[in-house]
Amino acid sequence: MPEVSAGVLVWRRGPDGSELLLVHPGGPYWRGKDEAAWSIPKGLVEPGEDLFAAALREFAEEVGQPLQGPAEPLTPRRLPGGKWVHAFLLEADLDLADLRSNMFEMEWPPRSGRRASFPEVDAAAYFTPADARVRIHRGQQPIIEDALTRLALPR
């Protein structure tokens, strides 16, 4: 059975048009990577958990801010690895200066026997639709396109 994730794609009305909020994964593997490295804030849905509740929980864990307000479900997408992502589109203009992400632990350096902690997310930023298309992980591009269609933004 494939894993299921849920996340929130936040958008805001920026000075030069609408912008989409993406997060950059923390940890040593993603350090220095920008193009096709960013993601929507998302994570695994617990058994029996409501999809939107899971999306809000994951956003709060990764960005450090709770969200509220109406959200529009986007079309569920299957990522190349087989995982399903249920994303929700929500308007919010957040102050990202105080990013607080939960931490994860992994062996680092590889095969060293040592464990190190890293933030799950090391950056969050709003991007224009054109910039979001370049930065979003390739498997999540259909989520961006679905959101832009629903927002009636230039494709």
Side-chain angles (χ1 to χ4, degrees):
M1 181 120 176
E3 290 183 323
V4 175
S5 284
V8 180
L9 176 56
V10 168
W11 71 282
R12 72 175 180 188
R13 300 168 204 270
D16 298 319
S18 295
E19 299 172 323
L20 305 171
L21 185 139
L22 300 177
V23 295
H24 188 270
Y29 292 117
W30 294 100
R31 190 172 299 138
K33 295 183 175 130
D34 187 49
E35 191 172 306
W38 294 67
S39 174
I40 68 166
K42 63 176 178 43
L44 293 178
V45 177
E46 300 293 332
E49 187 176 20
D50 175 77
L51 292 171
F52 186 53
L56 292 175
R57 174 182 51 77
E58 286 294 331
F59 190 93
E61 288 176 2
E62 293 186 3
V63 180
Q65 295 185 45
L67 286 174
Q68 47 186 200
E72 181 177 354
L74 298 172
T75 304
R77 303 293 176 173
R78 188 171 186 171
L79 300 182
K83 181 190 297 183
W84 282 92
V85 176
H86 294 263
F88 297 85
L89 187 61
L90 191 146
E91 183 177 6
D93 189 359
L94 304 173
D95 179 1
L96 302 174
D98 189 24
L99 179 69
R100 291 178 315 254
S101 178
N102 57 345
M103 304 292 283
F104 73 96
E105 191 176 280
M106 64 182 282
E107 182 180 23
W108 191 256
R111 295 177 293 285
S112 68
R114 288 181 276 175
R115 310 267 321 152
S117 292
F118 302 95
E120 192 170 339
V121 166
D122 62 17
Y126 283 98
F127 295 101
T128 65
D131 287 339
R133 283 187 184 98
V134 172
R135 287 186 168 85
I136 192 78
H137 187 276
R138 300 283 184 247
Q140 294 178 42
Q141 282 182 337
I143 295 170
I144 298 292
E145 297 307 323
D146 188 9
L148 295 177
T149 297
R150 291 168 193 256
L151 293 170
L153 296 177
R155 303 189 80 211

